Amino acid sequence: MFINIDACIGNKKPFYNRFSYYPQGLNAIEIMIEAVKFWNEPNNKSHWDFEIDSDWQLYANMVKMAAAAVKAEKPDVLRVLGGISPIDPYFITRLKDFGTFNDLNAVAVHGFPLDWNHWQLEHWPEKIAEIEAVTHLPVWVTEVGVSTFGAEEVQEFGLRRTAELLCGRVDRVFWYSLYDLPRAWEATTRHREAEGSSYYRHFYMGLLREDGTPKLALKHFSDYTPEFGICQWFHFEDHRLDNAVDWLKKLGVKRLRTGLSWADYLRPDAEKWFDRMMQKLDGFDLTITFCFTPEAKGIQPHHTSPPQKIEEFSDFCVEMMRRYA
C-alpha cells in the first residue's frame, strides 16, 4: 500500500490541549501535554516482567486504575496504551478481555523491521491493520526507527520509505530517535551482549551521533514535520537536553514523545530535574510515558517488575498531571 508523501509535507495542522501550570518555585509556563502513555512495551520482557505477571492481569488492572485517575484529573489529555513490541493482536485481545481499554483513547505500537522484527518494512500497513481488526481505538506508532549499525544509507532509505507507508495511515508517528545512545550507557535489554549485533543496534538509532554531528538521514527529516514527531528519552539529568531542544526546533518538530520515570522520581533532586526538563520542553505537544517501577516498590527489585501496589503507580501519574498539566 502506497501513501502519497505529499500528505506529510507542508500540511501544517493546528495543535491543541494547551494547559498552563504554576509549580511552586517556577515562573508560570505553558506545557502542552497532548497525551500520556501507561508504560512502555508491556509485552516485551525488557520492560515488563511477564514471568511475574504471566497473564498480564496485573498490568491490565494497573492501566485501568491509572487511566481512570488521569481521566478524572485531566479529562482533555489523551490516554494511550503503552506501545507494544512485538505488534501482537492477541495481546491486545487479552487486554481488551480484561476491560483495559475502558478509559483509553488510543493504542500504540512500536516497530523496527530493518533491525529487530521478523517482518519486512513493506508490511507496516498490514501490521497496523492487524491491530485495527481487534480494537475500535485509533492506532498510533509511537516508536519507529532504523539503526545505522550497518550503514547510514540504510537509515536514510528507511526514513523515507517509512514516511511513505505511515503518513496519512495513522494519527501519530514518532521517529526513534534524535540522538544515538551514548556508548557509556546501557541499553534497556535483559540480554545485553548475548544478543550479538542486535544489542549494539540500540546505540545507533539516532539521526545525530553521540557527539551531536548529523547523519545522512537528518537532512530529510524536516520534509516530514510536523506530522512526524520524535521519540527521545531523556535520562536523569541528561546532558543532551538543551542541544536536543535546539535541534528539534531546527527540524520543525512539534510533537515530542518522552518519559517521566516513576523510578527516577524517588531519586534525590528528582523534582528539580523533572521541572527543568518539562520547562525546557515548553512549546512542544508532548506525549509523556509514565513507566518503570522503583526497586523498593516492585514485587521484585527491578524497574521492569510489576509494583507491589498498583495504586501507587496511579498516584504517581496523577501527581505528574497535577504538576505539569
Side-chain angles (χ1 to χ4, degrees):
M1 177 178 180
F2 288 86
I3 302 297
N4 188 342
I5 199 63
D6 290 340
C8 284
I9 301 175
N11 183 10
K12 308 297 183 183
K13 297 178 182 177
F15 296 91
Y16 50 92
N17 283 344
R18 287 162 168 80
F19 305 96
S20 294
Y21 92 111
Y22 302 86
Q24 190 173 22
L26 288 178
N27 294 326
I29 63 173
E30 184 181 63
I31 297 294
M32 293 167 282
I33 296 183
E34 181 183 32
V36 295
K37 291 181 63 182
F38 303 105
W39 220 260
N40 184 65
E41 299 186 1
N43 61 333
N44 183 328
K45 196 177 179 185
S46 292
H47 296 273
W48 185 262
D49 193 337
F50 46 76
E51 289 186 354
I52 298 173
D53 184 24
S54 59
D55 61 357
W56 282 277
Q57 189 163 6
L58 287 174
Y59 175 73
N61 290 336
M62 184 180 77
V63 171
K64 282 193 293 184
M65 182 179 292
V70 168
K71 180 180 180 180
E73 187 67 30
K74 296 291 180 184
D76 292 331
V77 174
L78 300 175
R79 301 167 302 279
V80 185
L81 182 73
I84 62 171
S85 180
I87 298 174
D88 181 4
Y90 298 102
F91 180 72
I92 296 297
T93 299
R94 177 180 290 274
L95 294 187
K96 186 168 66 173
D97 290 343
F98 286 134
T100 312
F101 301 157
N102 294 348
D103 290 309
L104 295 182
N105 303 107
V107 299
V109 299
H110 296 172
F112 300 90
L114 291 178
D115 288 287
W116 294 305
N117 298 132
H118 297 162
W119 46 275
Q120 296 180 344
L121 181 63
E122 302 299 317
H123 294 167
W124 258 118
E126 298 170 30
K127 303 306 288 187
I128 299 298
E130 287 179 8
I131 303 303
E132 291 173 333
V134 295
T135 178
H136 67 285
L137 296 175
V139 178
W140 292 11
V141 178
T142 52
E143 281 188 32
V144 57
V146 181
S147 80
T148 56
F149 179 81
E152 289 189 18
E153 290 80 3
V154 176
Q155 185 186 65
E156 186 179 30
F157 161 77
L159 169 63
R160 300 173 77 171
R161 187 64 185 127
T162 298
E164 291 174 351
L165 293 166
L166 292 181
C167 281
R169 182 65 182 82
V170 293
D171 290 339
R172 298 289 184 275
V173 181
F174 292 88
W175 185 262
Y176 178 80
S177 61
L178 179 63
Y179 275 100
D180 278 350
L181 184 68
R183 290 300 304 268
W185 296 359
E186 185 179 50
T188 302
T189 174
R190 283 178 171 253
H191 307 295
R192 301 185 185 180
E193 285 82 350
E195 292 182 287
S197 71
S198 293
Y199 176 76
Y200 292 102
R201 289 174 184 271
H202 287 279
F203 294 90
Y204 296 93
M205 303 301 295
L207 297 168
L208 300 169
R209 301 179 188 91
E210 179 182 348
D211 64 5
T213 56
K215 300 181 187 178
L216 291 176
L218 183 82
K219 65 179 179 288
H220 303 292
F221 195 79
S222 59
D223 292 342
Y224 312 117
T225 58
E227 280 64 40
F228 257 38
I230 278 187
C231 172
Q232 178 63 56
W233 295 95
F234 293 107
H235 288 225
F236 188 74
E237 297 182 340
D238 198 320
H239 66 280
R240 305 169 300 176
L241 177 62
D242 292 340
N243 288 335
V245 169
D246 290 342
W247 270 110
L248 292 170
K249 290 177 178 178
K250 289 178 187 176
L251 293 170
V253 172
K254 291 294 184 182
R255 293 171 178 153
L256 174 66
R257 178 186 166 225
T258 192
L260 291 174
S261 165
W262 182 25
D264 281 347
Y265 197 55
L266 297 189
R267 292 174 181 250
D269 295 325
E271 286 188 354
K272 181 179 178 181
W273 163 247
F274 279 16
D275 286 349
R276 169 165 143 64
M277 184 181 81
M278 294 298 285
Q279 186 173 26
K280 193 68 181 178
L281 299 180
D282 173 29
F284 296 101
D285 270 2
L286 298 177
T287 293
I288 300 294
T289 302
F290 299 134
C291 57
F292 301 147
T293 307
E295 288 190 1
K297 295 184 178 296
I299 294 174
Q300 295 293 330
H302 197 273
H303 68 269
T304 65
S305 173
Q308 300 169 30
K309 299 177 180 179
I310 60 173
E311 61 270 21
E312 292 186 342
F313 176 72
S314 180
D315 292 343
F316 168 72
C317 295
V318 169
E319 187 171 354
M320 295 298 96
M321 298 308 296
R322 289 175 177 170
R323 190 170 185 85
Y324 300 117

